[in-house]
Amino acid sequence: MTTQDKIKVCRPKSLPGVDLFEAARVAVGINPANRPYVRPVADMVGPGAVTKEFISAMTTKYWKSGGVHLTVRFLDTDDTALKARILTHMNAWSPGANVQFSESRSNDAEVRIARTSGDGYWSYLGTDILQIPADQPTMNLEAFSMDTPESEYKRVVRHETGHTLGFPHEHLRREVVQRIDPRKAIRYFLEMDGWSEQVTRAQVLTPLEDVDLIATPTDILSIMCYQLPGVIMRDGQAVPGGLDLDPQDRKFVQGLYPTKLTATPHHPAFASAPTH
């Protein structure tokens, strides 16, 4: 068993169902392009299945296209060097994009980071962080310290920051999910991570909707993509996943959150389909 086989992966947080309606309303208010285009899905699942809950779950959580400037509070450390190091890696998304994370000690900081042991790596998705009580974390970086290798800062902090920017997992693209053998995946993640069948289905086997508002090619080297071993793939070919931001990640964030707005209401990263 290799080190890669044992690599700890992200478990993104989801809001309770009771909060989905409000979270969807807030997301669309911040960026109207978050509103899902449900007509193609209605044709597939039938009009009776397109409920308010269904539409809320389909709502994406990107920030306004004018840019993302978020404040960050650290809940369990006053180590200046550690905080600066984490912020540096969060701001690795910034070059060429209108993205900035800055420290704040205020209780109204949008991003709150904890390092709770045993809770893994996770972040709420995009605008969903606004639904989390001010004294609760929106991101967890389990046991991160100044002794944590630089490679893990690149792999984990930049990945979780991608979720905070609204980016879902890249390995949930339908063309990747269709390559996975469900039985092998369920057995593998039970043995490696102790995941139940339900967790594996949610984290690895449920594809993003084909009507997601972002129209970009699948990128299996993206920082937002898991490393999936060949033993769970139908074709035996591993998905390498990303260990750092790659050129498509940078092109994507620069298109979604440009430093200068174009004259059109939608940026090139958005799909051309209507959003209502």
Side-chain angles (χ1 to χ4, degrees):
M1 188 176 299
T2 68
T3 300
Q4 180 173 334
D5 289 332
K6 298 180 181 179
I7 199 165
K8 184 181 294 184
V9 297
C10 161
R11 295 174 173 84
K13 288 283 189 177
S14 299
L15 294 172
V18 68
D19 295 330
L20 286 178
F21 299 147
E22 176 62 11
R25 184 191 68 79
V26 169
V28 172
I30 289 173
N31 187 339
N34 281 321
R35 184 181 292 111
Y37 182 48
V38 300
R39 191 175 303 160
V41 180
D43 292 340
M44 289 187 291
V45 302
V50 183
T51 62
K52 288 173 62 178
E53 291 84 356
F54 184 87
I55 294 173
S56 295
M58 284 181 59
T59 301
T60 51
K61 304 298 174 65
Y62 299 103
W63 299 91
K64 62 182 179 180
S65 56
V68 185
H69 296 175
L70 300 175
T71 54
V72 180
R73 182 160 62 96
F74 295 87
L75 300 181
D76 56 15
T77 184
D78 289 320
D79 186 325
T80 301
L82 176 60
K83 293 188 291 184
R85 189 177 179 189
I86 291 173
L87 283 169
T88 294
H89 284 276
M90 295 179 75
N91 281 309
W93 287 92
S94 301
N98 193 358
V99 170
Q100 181 179 12
F101 295 92
S102 56
E103 184 184 1
S104 172
R105 295 181 180 274
S106 172
N107 288 336
D108 61 1
E110 294 97 347
V111 182
R112 280 92 61 189
I113 297 178
R115 299 173 302 127
T116 306
S117 295
D119 203 20
Y121 306 143
W122 53 259
S123 173
Y124 287 94
L125 190 66
T127 58
D128 277 354
I129 68 174
L130 301 178
Q131 305 301 314
I132 308 305
D135 61 344
Q136 297 298 311
T138 66
M139 180 189 299
N140 195 70
L141 303 172
E142 179 182 325
F144 257 63
S145 71
M146 291 301 289
D147 293 329
T148 301
E150 184 71 2
S151 59
E152 281 295 270
Y153 274 85
K154 291 180 179 180
R155 184 182 74 88
V156 176
V157 178
R158 298 181 183 192
H159 178 100
E160 299 307 337
T161 302
H163 285 316
T164 298
L165 290 171
F167 307 151
H169 275 140
E170 185 72 9
H171 64 272
L172 293 181
R173 296 292 193 112
R174 190 173 300 278
E175 68 180 80
V176 176
V177 172
Q178 288 176 337
R179 291 176 50 202
I180 300 173
D181 184 311
R183 292 185 303 104
K184 292 180 179 178
I186 290 167
R187 183 169 63 249
Y188 174 85
F189 285 103
L190 174 63
E191 294 173 355
M192 296 303 302
D193 294 297
W195 287 4
S196 66
E197 177 179 342
Q198 291 76 12
V199 170
T200 298
R201 289 192 179 280
Q203 295 290 331
V204 180
L205 298 175
T206 301
L208 295 171
E209 294 296 335
D210 292 333
V211 294
D212 186 14
L213 75 95
I214 299 301
T216 56
T218 299
D219 179 14
I220 59 174
L221 296 178
S222 167
I223 190 64
M224 302 311 298
C225 187
Y226 273 2
Q227 295 169 297
L228 300 177
V231 295
I232 71 170
M233 310 303 289
R234 298 180 191 274
D235 57 10
Q237 298 298 309
V239 173
L243 300 178
D244 195 358
L245 295 166
D246 74 354
Q248 188 162 308
D249 289 323
R250 294 199 179 280
K251 182 178 179 180
F252 179 71
V253 72
Q254 291 165 7
L256 187 60
Y257 302 123
T259 54
K260 293 183 179 180
L261 291 177
T262 63
T264 58
H266 300 291
H267 297 292
F270 288 126
S272 58
T275 55
H276 59 279

